[in-house]
Amino acid sequence: MELLSPEGLRVDGRRANELRRILCRASVLNTADGSAYYEQGNTKVLVAVYGPRESRIRSQSQHDHAIVNVEFNIAPFSTSERRKRSKGDKRLLEIASFVRQTFEGAIQRSVYPRSQIDIYLHLLQHDGGTLETCINAATLALVDAGISMDDYVCACTAGFIDETPVLDLNGAEESSIETPDLTVAILPRSGNIALLQMESKLHSSKLEGVLELAVEGCKHIHRKLDEAVLAAANDLAEKLSH
């Protein structure tokens, strides 16, 4: 399959520096303290946040900060491969671990001593960029839950196809062994990098261009998340006024 045409178009019709379409909403679940639905291209994630609440296992609680627990599950119908994954599946644990590490540094955990914050991620449909989508969705849900954070955490992928840096890889691009895949998460106001994760090798001379493209994507996603938070706040204000 030709991933990049001579005209510079990708398999889904985008240019190299274009994001997939993003749709997102906060406060989609009434039973959670915070929740979000996030869709980037054909990758769709639902997130529920509970807490801060008392630690379920007292021996694991920390007297000076909250612990962050992340669980990631994939719906059996999310891919063409119909199989139920166990909770011990290596890929599930890996993504949950990346998300947990990312937010442990962004959440102001010292505000919530002797407590825990639970983030439940459910992948409804997969078409590339699972980790970035989970991070962006979790940010929206944590803001919805009122959890104190240093800043939003915004994530985006970038890769390299035919000597061209490309933004926000889809499933076909991500699964190609010829496409290096870099996931970057940043704190937009400071520009600090919260996560840098690569699935395959990329020559150091090409890394800077791919990294810069991913960071630009993160900044655009930040604006989208901000719009979703504002829309949720306006909805809440309208409900309270009636």
Side-chain angles (χ1 to χ4, degrees):
M1 184 195 301
E2 188 179 51
L3 296 177
L4 195 65
S5 74
E7 294 78 25
L9 296 176
R10 296 152 73 177
V11 289
D12 53 11
R14 288 181 293 150
R15 296 282 179 187
N17 62 348
E18 289 181 341
L19 285 167
R20 292 174 290 176
R21 184 186 64 164
I22 295 172
L23 296 173
C24 52
R25 288 198 319 276
S27 299
V28 294
L29 300 173
N30 294 328
T31 54
D33 295 315
S35 59
Y37 171 79
Y38 187 93
E39 184 177 312
Q40 193 155 335
N42 291 320
T43 300
K44 304 171 184 180
V45 176
L46 183 65
V47 185
V49 169
Y50 297 89
R53 57 188 179 182
E54 187 177 352
S55 297
R56 284 174 294 184
I57 304 173
R58 293 205 165 203
S59 61
Q60 292 182 356
S61 69
Q62 300 292 322
H63 74 279
D64 59 348
H65 65 259
I67 59 172
V68 178
N69 173 56
V70 177
E71 287 190 20
F72 173 63
N73 289 295
I74 298 177
F77 51 80
S78 65
T79 64
S80 56
E81 181 189 7
R82 298 286 192 272
R83 74 183 180 95
K84 188 173 182 181
R85 296 172 184 259
S86 68
K87 284 196 173 181
D89 184 284
K90 184 181 177 183
R91 184 59 178 162
L92 300 188
L93 295 173
E94 187 180 61
I95 288 180
S97 177
F98 282 134
V99 174
R100 177 179 55 76
Q101 291 171 32
T102 300
F103 285 102
E104 279 180 342
I107 294 172
Q108 295 176 349
R109 296 190 293 150
S110 60
V111 177
Y112 311 109
R114 298 186 179 86
S115 61
Q116 78 177 51
I117 297 165
D118 297 314
I119 304 171
Y120 296 97
L121 302 152
H122 202 68
L123 182 68
L124 303 176
Q125 188 170 322
H126 169 69
D127 186 34
T130 297
L131 179 56
E132 65 168 321
T133 308
C134 286
I135 289 172
N136 295 330
T139 293
L140 197 51
L142 286 163
V143 172
D144 185 50
I147 304 292
S148 294
M149 294 198 293
D150 294 330
D151 194 0
Y152 286 34
V153 183
C154 303
C156 193
T157 60
F160 213 79
I161 301 174
D162 297 340
E163 301 302 308
T164 304
V166 292
L167 183 65
D168 189 16
L169 303 182
N170 60 34
E173 294 165 340
E174 196 173 79
S175 59
S176 170
I177 58 171
E178 300 171 3
T179 309
D181 178 4
L182 177 72
T183 301
V184 180
I186 67 166
L187 306 181
R189 284 186 298 182
S190 65
N192 290 340
I193 292 177
L195 173 76
L196 193 62
Q197 194 260 338
M198 181 171 280
E199 290 288 346
S200 54
K201 292 181 180 178
L202 178 66
H203 195 276
S204 58
S205 63
K206 300 172 181 175
L207 178 61
E208 186 176 352
V210 172
L211 180 59
E212 285 178 359
L213 189 60
V215 168
E216 282 304 310
C218 291
K219 291 175 181 177
H220 183 81
I221 288 167
H222 176 223
R223 291 192 289 272
K224 288 284 186 181
L225 294 179
D226 223 19
E227 289 169 8
V229 170
L230 184 60
N234 289 336
D235 287 345
L236 180 60
E238 192 173 326
K239 286 175 185 175
L240 294 174
S241 65
H242 292 314

